């Protein structure tokens, strides 16, 4: 790494002026006392004092500061190999201080980010282990019971195998969702973009989830009657997954005899926004920023009475972001929640 020295003369110049002024004052007082003031001699003395002071101070300070500044830069180079270490070393203390302060501030931000990521990693590993161990222990329990003799009873054997199979299906469901999120994050999941009617897609989701909604007597409806189709350009299968996950959540956390309402509105010239609104439990404000994290649960009791992989909202977020779109959430505890996302309109299509 080639490091050059950028000289600064401010400190030496100011210090030399101060020293020269003091020496000249003393010399003038001395000449006055001796009653032999020689202005030409005093001028030469002043000039030489300034010149000598300037060069001595500059050389000494330059050597003193440069040696220590170089040590600082060398130490930093062990931690940072980009911007700071490629700069010219300066003997200007103000500039050097600014550079070091900026470096320290950047490192503090980086350390804080790493701490947040470490906390997230711990939470994520804890949640993954919880989500996986529950079905694993369930499957293991049924299999061990069968091996201990329950297999001889045909009815018990069938029932336990069916329950073990449900546990395996849940494991497969979780692994598939994790695989999808990973592909979305690294950009390996290819989107099949096409033009389709978002109103028709939402109605199809309503039809698919009708029975699930009836169990809690929840009404699935549009905010108004949409006479004309609204054509958007996106991956139809993935957007159907987004709408399905959002409506399933609204049913899961909705009150009995409640309502889930979907609206599609013009946002700007080439965008629409899809809103999924319910009058369910609502979400406390402190939980909203973390809703889209993998396995994050508002309910910390550890139970998942409603099932699911715990990855639904995370998948929704990644699918929408893969389309270069935005997703939003608003919620009031005890009142309800609204999840909304944007989509691009199909070109040359009238909405």
């Amino acid at each position: 790494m080639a490091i050059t020295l950028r000289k600064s003369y401010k400190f030496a110049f100011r210090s030399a002026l101060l020293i020269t002024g003091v020496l000249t004052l003393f010399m003038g007082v001395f000449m006055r006392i001796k009653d032999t003031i020689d202005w030409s001699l005093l001028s030469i003395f002043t000039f030489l004092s300034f010149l000598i002071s300037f060069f001595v101070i500059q050389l000494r300070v330059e050597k003193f500061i440069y040696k220590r500044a170089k040590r600082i830069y060398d130490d930093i180079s062990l931690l940072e190999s980009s911007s700071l270490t490629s700069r010219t070393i300066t003997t200007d203390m103000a500039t050097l201080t600014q550079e070091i302060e900026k470096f320290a501030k950047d490192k503090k931000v980086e350390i804080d980010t790493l701490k947040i990521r470490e906390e997230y990693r711990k939470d994520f590993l804890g949640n993954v282990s919880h989500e996986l161990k529950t079905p694993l222990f369930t499957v293991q329990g049924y299999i061990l019971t069968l091996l201990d003799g329950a297999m001889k009873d045909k009815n018990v054997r069938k029932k336990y195998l069916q329950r073990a199979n449900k546990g395996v299906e849940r494991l497969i469901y979780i692994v598939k969702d994790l695989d999808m999120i990973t592909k979305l994050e690294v950009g390996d999941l290819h989107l099949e973009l096409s033009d389709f009617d978002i109103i028709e897609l939402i109605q199809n989701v309503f039809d698919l989830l009708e029975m699930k909604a009836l169990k809690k007597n929840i009404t699935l409806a549009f905010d108004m009657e949409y006479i004309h189709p609204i054509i958007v350009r996106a991956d139809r299968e993935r957007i159907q997954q987004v709408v399905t996950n959002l409506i399933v959540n609204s049913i899961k956390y909705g009150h009995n005899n409640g309502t889930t309402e979907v609206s599609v509105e013009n946002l700007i010239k080439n965008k629409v926004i899809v809103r999924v609104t319910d009058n369910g439990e609502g979400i406390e404000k402190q939980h909203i920023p973390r809703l889209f994290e993998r396995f994050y649960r508002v309910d910390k009791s550890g139970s998942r009475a409603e099932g699911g992989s715990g990855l639904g909202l995370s998948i929704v977020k990644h699918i929408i972001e893969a389309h270069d779109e935005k997703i939003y959430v608003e919620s009031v505890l005890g009142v309800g929640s609204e999840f909304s996302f944007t989509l691009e309109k199909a070109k040359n299509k009238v909405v």
Side-chain angles (χ1 to χ4, degrees):
M1 176 183 65
I3 298 178
T4 57
L5 172 67
R6 188 177 75 233
K7 297 182 180 181
S8 174
Y9 301 97
K10 292 180 183 178
F11 180 79
F13 182 79
R14 292 171 182 171
S15 300
L17 279 178
L18 180 61
I19 293 171
T20 301
V22 172
L23 290 176
T24 301
L25 179 62
F26 276 111
M27 180 59 73
V29 171
F30 178 78
M31 287 182 173
R32 179 78 177 182
I33 293 172
K34 294 292 185 180
D35 199 23
T36 57
I37 296 179
D38 187 339
W39 293 106
S40 59
L41 180 62
L42 187 61
S43 298
I44 294 171
F45 175 80
T46 301
F47 176 75
L48 290 175
S49 296
F50 175 80
L51 205 62
I52 294 169
S53 299
F54 177 82
F55 282 107
V56 170
I57 293 171
Q58 176 64 26
L59 290 173
R60 287 297 301 153
V61 170
E62 184 177 293
K63 184 177 180 182
F64 179 81
I65 293 178
Y66 176 74
K67 286 176 68 176
R68 283 154 181 77
K70 184 177 184 303
R71 185 178 301 171
I72 292 172
Y73 275 76
D74 288 341
D75 290 341
I76 289 175
S77 67
L78 298 174
L79 303 173
E80 179 68 47
S81 59
S82 57
S83 57
L84 186 58
T85 55
S86 61
R87 296 177 186 172
T88 303
I89 293 180
T90 176
T91 58
D92 181 9
M93 289 305 296
T95 304
L96 180 61
T97 302
Q98 288 176 0
E99 290 182 354
I100 299 302
E101 286 178 351
K102 183 179 182 302
F103 175 80
K105 188 180 294 184
D106 291 343
K107 282 299 172 186
K108 184 179 184 302
V109 171
E110 186 177 329
I111 290 169
D112 290 342
T113 302
L114 288 173
K115 286 180 179 178
I116 293 171
R117 288 179 179 176
E118 176 64 14
E119 288 299 318
Y120 173 77
R121 185 190 66 83
K122 289 178 181 178
D123 288 346
F124 174 68
L125 289 176
N127 287 327
V128 168
S129 64
H130 172 79
E131 296 298 331
L132 294 179
K133 75 180 180 182
T134 302
L136 279 172
F137 289 167
T138 299
V139 172
Q140 184 185 44
Y142 286 127
I143 292 175
L144 289 175
T145 304
L146 290 172
L147 291 174
D148 286 342
M151 191 161 40
K152 296 176 182 178
D153 188 323
K154 185 177 179 180
N155 292 329
V156 172
R157 181 176 65 210
K158 183 178 180 181
K159 182 173 68 174
Y160 280 19
L161 285 174
Q162 287 174 340
R163 291 180 179 177
N165 183 58
K166 286 184 179 180
V168 173
E169 286 178 351
R170 177 167 168 74
L171 284 170
I172 294 172
Y173 187 37
I174 292 172
V175 171
K176 281 184 176 179
D177 282 354
L178 278 171
D179 181 58
M180 177 180 292
I181 290 176
T182 302
K183 288 181 178 178
L184 285 165
E185 285 179 341
V186 300
D188 284 348
L189 191 65
H190 180 65
L191 297 177
E192 298 287 345
L193 299 180
S194 63
D195 298 345
F196 61 90
D197 181 7
I198 188 65
I199 301 299
E200 180 189 357
L201 182 145
I202 294 169
Q203 185 60 57
N204 290 341
V205 175
F206 281 169
D207 295 340
L208 289 171
L209 298 176
E210 183 179 9
M211 296 302 295
K212 188 177 185 69
L214 281 174
K215 291 180 181 179
K216 298 180 72 172
N217 201 26
I218 290 176
T219 302
L220 304 179
F222 287 103
D223 65 318
M224 57 177 280
E225 184 179 358
Y226 291 89
I227 300 173
H228 303 291
I230 298 178
I231 309 301
V232 298
R233 182 163 185 79
D235 187 316
R236 182 187 178 97
E237 182 181 347
R238 301 303 175 194
I239 296 303
Q240 179 163 329
Q241 187 174 8
V242 167
V243 176
T244 301
N245 284 351
L246 293 179
I247 294 178
V248 165
N249 270 1
S250 73
I251 295 171
K252 185 187 300 183
Y253 299 107
H255 294 306
N256 290 334
N257 304 311
T259 302
T260 293
E261 184 180 270
V262 180
S263 64
V264 183
E265 306 167 14
N266 285 317
L267 188 62
I268 54 177
K269 185 176 180 181
N270 65 327
K271 299 280 186 181
V272 295
I273 186 166
V274 180
R275 305 182 189 273
V276 179
T277 309
D278 65 65
N279 56 357
E281 299 175 5
I283 305 163
E284 292 184 36
K285 191 174 182 180
Q286 67 265 27
H287 295 299
I288 291 177
R290 300 191 62 187
L291 279 179
F292 297 102
E293 291 181 15
R294 303 180 190 183
F295 299 116
Y296 183 77
R297 290 177 294 183
V298 174
D299 177 15
K300 298 297 182 182
S301 63
S303 64
R304 275 211 186 272
E306 298 288 346
S309 68
L311 297 165
L313 287 179
S314 184
I315 290 173
V316 164
K317 175 179 178 288
H318 283 90
I319 289 176
I320 294 301
E321 289 182 348
H323 284 79
D324 293 324
E325 300 293 345
K326 302 291 185 182
I327 185 164
Y328 310 93
V329 56
E330 295 180 12
S331 187
V332 178
L333 189 64
V335 177
S337 305
E338 178 183 281
F339 288 83
S340 56
F341 61 91
T342 59
L343 285 176
E344 183 180 355
K345 295 180 189 176
K347 293 182 179 179
N348 301 323
K349 302 290 182 180
V350 179
V351 177

